[in-house]
Amino acid sequence: MCGIIGYIGPRNASEIVVEGLKKLEYRGYDSFGFAVRANPDIKILKRVGKIGSVTVQELGLPNSNLAIGHTRWATHGSVTEINTHPHISQDEKIIVVHNGIIENFQAQKKFLESQGLAFYSQTDTEIIPKTIEYHMKRGYDFVEACKHSLKHLEGQYAIVALHKDENKLVAIRKEAPLVIGVGEGEFFVASDVPAFLEYTKKVIFLDEMDLAVIDKNISVFNLTKNSFVDRTITNIDWNAEQARKGEFDHFFMKEVYEQANTLERVANIDETLIKEVAGEIRKSEGIFFVACGTASYACMHGVYTFAKIAKMHINFCLAHEFPNFKHFLNNKSLVIALSQSGETADTLTAIRAAKAAGAKTISITNAMGSSLMRESDKTILARAGPEICVLSTKAYTSQLAILTLLAYELAGKLDEGKEKLKEVVRYIYYLTSEHTRKFIQEIAKNLRYAQHIYLIGRGLQYPTALEATLKIKEVSYIHAEGFAGGELKHGVIALIEHGTPCIVFTSTENEKEIISNAMELKARGGYIIGVGPNNNPVFDVWIKVRESEEANSICQIIPMQILAYQLAMLRGCDPDKPRNLAKSVTVK
Ligand code: F6R
């Protein structure tokens, strides 16, 4: 939800923030803006819309050694140039970009107005430069005024601020991601690593309430501890190539295609970690999976897989519903949170509730150094590499694979689980091949004008139906709904009319039952698309996905990801940046 970037160093800062912001656009793409310090002036530029491929020259930004940028996903105030970041103080000296929400902005705005400060936008952000300005007027220097301001700002935020007369950046983190890239005599600060991965893999992950002052050096002051702190430099094992589209038109398809590699990485995961986490699971009493969106369907897969392979019952709860169940937690409970970004506010809230109740916490996340990683007791990294498309694809299958390995380890058969995964990896090359992509494209042509698509599956295929539904909905804007096959006759079947597309996920395990459901759909006029190992006369079209038992969830979702992509393309939708969505949902 909003992406921020800043640079200070010998390169052209304008170039770096413009190009870096393009890598953060997945976080929000309503509008974008920059502030460039071209001593003695500050050039501010704001535009409504996506940044697209615009260059620094086209934008007319000056050469500089210090600049900040912002891409917005509107929360407070409509999408207008006035509401676009950066926001400035009344004396036009303090300039701020911000990701997150200032919860007490109305009260703070009233206070600042009573002190003679006037406001030009409807954003919560504008109170930040004006609060800093207020404290500077009371005699504090810029950095001290930033520190004092934080005492008056409630909510979650990452902020980068600069002062017109000072060659430095101030970066502040409170419950919203902010990472510093450390180069040779230069620093980057951004919401996420891909923004500066071209230049450095050395990063400092700021902690809660850290305030970093960055000029030729960096010093970090922690406002909770009220003292300066040392923050270590971590080496990121991502590479710049992973954050580029390469030969693909969109990150979506690139990331779908990458899944053979990302899953291979999971198959070769450090066994010690899997064993340690399985050990925690074994000794816990009362275990919950929590997550939102796509990651929640990975949790559902986990529930089925743990039941089937490890013969263990795990509770699953959407992270935002978790407060209703937290009274079940005690110091023997375990909460396992799944999140691609590691920054989803609802998921973090669930983890915090677990910790408050004395429960153990484990996370499975794709984002090294994320809040979730730092706040949970143990983390398994999903190893999917940067996921830039707003829709989650490769991180999802990595989560499925990790849960599958854990289930096998709990059953004392980790080697078998790893073998199974390696076999799947070979098959995924076929599933993501051009041949499959073309075949699915033909199916998409038949579905492109559909108003509704229904998807059903049983057992492990049920979470797959739900995840496939989400992919279709969010990127093609076709209404889709997923159901457990057995649920049809309890109401849903009333929706089926002549020609209604129905996607049916099958497996040899429950073939008879799910084919009966497909027949029920067909009898009401449904157009049946089968996805699974065997063809059947009830199918109008069949997408062959060979039987992979517990790994069916991994294999069967891939043609559905491709279908969602093809539908988006045929319907003229942007597959990387669907309307109204942001990748990292850092607000509750
Ligand atoms: C769907 C999608 C979202 C996320 C959800 C949770 O394609 O990406 O549904 O899965 O917002 O995000 P994370 O996994 O970052 O916690």
Side-chain angles (χ1 to χ4, degrees):
M1 299 225 122
C2 299
I4 56 184
I5 181 158
Y7 174 79
I8 181 163
R11 300 177 207 256
N12 181 6
S14 294
E15 182 90 39
I16 295 203
V17 293
V18 169
E19 291 312 308
L21 208 59
K22 290 177 186 168
K23 308 255 167 53
L24 292 177
E25 223 193 346
Y26 67 86
R27 304 180 64 85
Y29 27 86
D30 295 336
S31 53
F32 63 95
F34 302 98
V36 179
R37 185 166 182 268
N39 210 7
D41 294 318
I42 297 274
K43 162 100 179 166
I44 294 191
L45 182 140
K46 301 182 181 197
R47 294 269 195 280
V48 167
K50 297 176 183 172
I51 187 167
S53 54
V54 72
T55 62
V56 70
Q57 289 75 21
E58 283 160 357
L59 290 168
L61 291 172
N63 279 0
S64 164
N65 78 324
L66 192 156
I68 57 178
H70 185 274
T71 183
R72 181 167 185 245
W73 189 88
T75 55
H76 293 60
S78 50
V79 182
T80 59
E81 209 161 287
I82 283 200
N83 288 333
T84 301
H85 299 214
H87 286 287
I88 60 170
S89 56
Q90 195 148 298
D91 62 9
E92 300 185 358
K93 289 192 168 184
I94 302 154
I95 297 113
V96 162
V97 287
H98 157 230
N99 167 35
I101 287 186
I102 308 296
E103 284 165 0
N104 64 331
F105 90 99
Q106 278 167 328
Q108 182 66 5
K109 188 170 175 178
K110 239 190 206 150
F111 168 75
L112 292 168
E113 278 170 341
S114 75
Q115 301 299 306
L117 291 160
F119 286 79
Y120 58 82
S121 78
Q122 291 103 47
T123 64
D124 53 341
T125 304
E126 197 189 337
I127 67 152
I128 304 171
K130 287 186 170 145
T131 303
I132 301 171
E133 178 175 23
Y134 166 77
H135 286 289
M136 285 191 79
K137 281 198 175 130
R138 291 174 69 213
Y140 294 109
D141 66 21
F142 173 50
V143 173
E144 286 304 311
C146 287
K147 286 184 192 165
H148 277 272
S149 297
L150 295 193
K151 295 181 192 147
H152 303 277
L153 304 178
E154 292 165 17
Q156 314 90 44
Y157 43 80
I159 296 168
V160 179
L162 63 87
H163 190 285
K164 183 173 175 286
D165 303 329
E166 301 189 27
N167 200 38
K168 60 168 72 101
L169 289 171
V170 172
I172 298 158
R173 177 196 164 115
K174 179 175 182 259
E175 296 176 30
L178 201 58
V179 52
I180 291 170
V182 183
E184 291 294 323
E186 61 184 351
F187 292 97
F188 307 78
V189 51
S191 306
D192 201 356
V193 175
F196 54 72
L197 202 50
E198 302 263 322
Y199 309 101
T200 183
K201 289 183 192 174
K202 288 188 187 158
V203 301
I204 296 173
F205 294 109
L206 292 181
D207 222 325
E208 290 315 320
M209 297 308 281
D210 274 356
L211 180 148
V213 179
I214 313 165
D215 42 34
K216 286 198 169 63
N217 297 304
I218 177 167
S219 65
V220 183
F221 185 87
N222 184 275
L223 284 124
T224 311
K225 294 186 175 140
N226 202 25
S227 66
F228 285 95
V229 285
D230 278 335
R231 295 285 175 233
T232 46
I233 296 180
T234 307
N235 277 305
I236 288 279
D237 67 354
W238 290 356
N239 62 52
E241 208 46 55
Q242 288 174 307
R244 289 194 204 110
K245 271 188 259 186
E247 69 197 72
F248 291 87
D249 292 332
H250 300 100
F251 281 108
F252 188 133
M253 196 40 85
K254 177 184 182 242
E255 289 163 8
V256 166
Y257 186 75
E258 279 174 348
Q259 287 173 108
N261 290 328
T262 53
L263 287 163
E264 187 160 17
R265 259 180 258 150
V266 177
N268 292 317
I269 206 166
D270 170 19
E271 283 191 14
T272 330
L273 184 58
I274 294 289
K275 287 182 190 245
E276 268 174 34
V277 170
E280 291 295 341
I281 294 173
R282 257 186 220 110
K283 65 178 190 228
S284 301
E285 291 171 21
I287 306 170
F288 282 89
F289 284 134
V290 293
C292 301
T294 287
S296 77
Y297 300 131
C299 292
M300 286 179 73
H301 159 91
V303 171
Y304 280 94
T305 326
F306 274 52
K308 196 161 184 251
I309 306 173
K311 313 281 179 258
M312 281 186 77
H313 170 69
I314 313 278
N315 301 287
F316 155 64
C317 191
L318 287 166
H320 35 87
E321 290 297 312
F322 194 56
N324 298 303
F325 303 98
K326 66 182 181 194
H327 55 276
F328 289 120
L329 298 173
N330 57 42
N331 59 5
K332 293 201 174 111
S333 322
L334 172 67
V335 175
I336 304 177
L338 272 69
S339 171
Q340 188 287 129
S341 63
E343 299 294 346
T344 299
D346 293 318
T347 310
L348 288 168
T349 306
I351 277 287
R352 286 170 194 151
K355 291 193 95 164
K360 277 249 158 53
T361 55
I362 286 172
S363 57
I364 300 177
T365 178
N366 197 34
M368 188 182 213
S370 59
S371 304
L372 187 61
M373 180 169 178
R374 281 183 294 107
E375 292 190 33
S376 40
D377 297 321
K378 255 195 188 73
T379 296
I380 304 180
L381 282 168
R383 289 164 176 76
E387 197 182 64
I388 311 270
C389 172
V390 165
L391 283 83
S392 189
T393 52
K394 60 177 181 168
Y396 172 69
T397 48
S398 287
Q399 288 163 349
L400 298 182
I402 289 168
L403 290 169
T404 307
L405 287 183
L406 281 171
Y408 271 101
E409 166 58 22
L410 285 162
K413 302 191 286 191
L414 183 58
D415 287 344
E416 196 183 311
K418 287 179 100 169
E419 256 332 290
K420 171 144 248 130
L421 220 49
K422 284 182 187 161
E423 228 176 77
V424 160
V425 165
R426 291 192 279 277
Y427 186 50
I428 284 174
Y429 282 107
Y430 165 74
L431 285 177
T432 53
S433 68
E434 199 170 339
H435 169 264
T436 315
R437 283 187 263 163
K438 289 232 159 85
F439 178 64
I440 305 276
Q441 192 176 35
E442 290 310 306
I443 297 174
K445 284 181 189 162
N446 273 337
L447 302 187
R448 65 184 288 194
Y449 298 115
Q451 288 201 317
H452 313 279
I453 301 178
Y454 296 101
L455 300 93
I456 59 165
R458 282 173 174 259
L460 267 174
Q461 283 62 238
Y462 172 42
T464 304
L466 297 180
E467 169 57 8
T469 299
L470 183 60
K471 290 287 96 80
I472 292 171
K473 274 195 282 209
E474 60 187 343
V475 76
S476 74
Y477 315 142
I478 296 177
H479 170 245
E481 268 192 81
F483 303 98
E487 195 59 16
L488 272 183
K489 49 192 167 299
H490 299 287
V492 185
I493 203 148
L495 297 168
I496 309 304
E497 295 174 350
H498 180 73
T500 307
C502 303
I503 301 180
V504 178
F505 298 91
T506 73
S507 78
T508 42
E509 192 186 13
N510 53 35
E511 191 156 20
K512 250 178 40 210
E513 293 89 341
I514 196 77
I515 292 296
S516 295
N517 298 140
M519 302 259 189
E520 289 156 12
L521 293 167
K522 182 89 170 186
R524 272 89 189 162
Y527 174 78
I528 313 294
I529 300 161
V531 183
N534 302 316
N535 201 353
N536 190 286
V538 74
F539 298 153
D540 293 289
V541 187
W542 174 45
I543 302 173
K544 180 174 178 178
V545 182
R546 77 163 198 218
E547 182 58 52
S548 299
E549 294 146 357
E550 292 80 17
N552 273 343
S553 309
I554 300 174
C555 299
Q556 293 189 352
I557 197 61
I558 291 175
M560 293 298 104
Q561 295 168 341
I562 299 173
L563 178 67
Y565 175 81
Q566 299 292 4
L567 285 171
M569 296 305 290
L570 289 166
R571 290 165 63 89
C573 309
D574 181 341
D576 282 343
K577 301 182 196 91
R579 67 185 179 206
N580 305 336
L581 296 179
K583 183 143 191 81
S584 184
V585 186
T586 51
V587 291
K588 284 182 211 161

